[in-house]
Amino acid sequence: MSVTRPVLYLFGSAAPPVLDVAHVVRQAQDRGWDVVLGLTPTAASWLQDEVPQLERLTGYPVKSSYRRPGDPDVLPPADAVLFAPGTMNSINSLALGITTSWVIGYAAEAIGKGIPLTVMPCTNTALTGHPQFSRSVTTLRDAGVRVLLGEGAFVPNVPGQGRPEAYPWEAALAAAGESVRR
């Protein structure tokens, strides 16, 4: 793909809305983005049968692990990063700087490099009730990360009552677009 369009790194972790990522990639492309897709290892395992299709759709390898030293970096630089869906584990890892997966590591570097980073959780009320979650959200917001949590964005559901089809992808894509126009 041509890199004349702004580049969105779309990252997803293992929450049910990630299963619709091909549709979201197309939506982002329709909004004018060149899309690079990154997945946590578990999300990549969920989508392993779709990876070839996703790579054709984006024109880039789907990243889920670090490259080996000396291997070329074939991805264009990001203009913005959208991490959605973000699980409690991914959000806590990012806030704490625990970069055991490529997407967390890249997102952590985006903060330090000043690349606009938007995170939209996908958790339930039991998980968001854990004290570390609110600390992590505060830490990320204090670092300049836009966290889409609450009315008009992602509202946590009661455990067992999630509706992946209602995940507010439009709000996430709109926020990512706004992040490069600031």
Side-chain angles (χ1 to χ4, degrees):
M1 292 211 149
S2 169
V3 187
T4 59
R5 301 175 348 151
V7 177
L8 176 67
Y9 276 42
L10 175 60
F11 292 166
S13 50
V18 80
L19 298 174
D20 197 28
V21 76
H23 179 70
V24 179
V25 167
R26 286 195 274 302
Q27 286 180 308
Q29 290 169 332
D30 289 346
R31 289 174 174 256
W33 291 103
D34 196 16
V35 180
V36 171
L37 182 60
L39 300 169
T40 62
T42 302
S45 73
W46 287 8
L47 293 167
Q48 67 185 359
D49 294 339
E50 295 177 46
V51 166
Q53 171 201 353
L54 293 166
E55 289 179 342
R56 283 190 298 277
L57 181 61
T58 64
Y60 301 106
V62 172
K63 289 279 293 196
S64 61
S65 61
Y66 287 103
R67 63 185 167 89
R68 291 183 340 186
D71 285 352
D73 185 359
V74 299
L75 302 177
D79 292 297
V81 178
L82 172 58
F83 200 146
T87 60
M88 178 182 172
N89 185 55
S90 292
I91 289 168
N92 287 342
S93 294
L94 179 58
L96 294 169
I98 301 170
T99 60
T100 55
S101 75
W102 180 80
V103 295
I104 301 296
Y106 193 96
E109 281 190 357
I111 294 169
K113 291 179 176 178
I115 300 169
L117 173 58
T118 303
V119 174
M120 188 160 67
C122 185
T123 59
N124 62 42
T125 55
L127 293 173
T128 58
H130 188 283
Q132 184 56 51
F133 186 80
S134 62
R135 286 192 294 267
S136 292
V137 169
T138 298
T139 296
L140 292 172
R141 286 178 171 158
D142 288 349
V145 176
R146 185 166 182 190
V147 181
L148 304 176
L149 178 64
E151 291 304 317
F154 179 76
V155 177
N157 54 276
V158 173
Q161 294 183 12
R163 293 182 35 242
E165 73 281 358
Y167 190 70
W169 283 112
E170 284 296 319
L173 291 169
E178 291 168 7
S179 75
V180 295
R181 289 193 291 270
R182 288 185 195 170

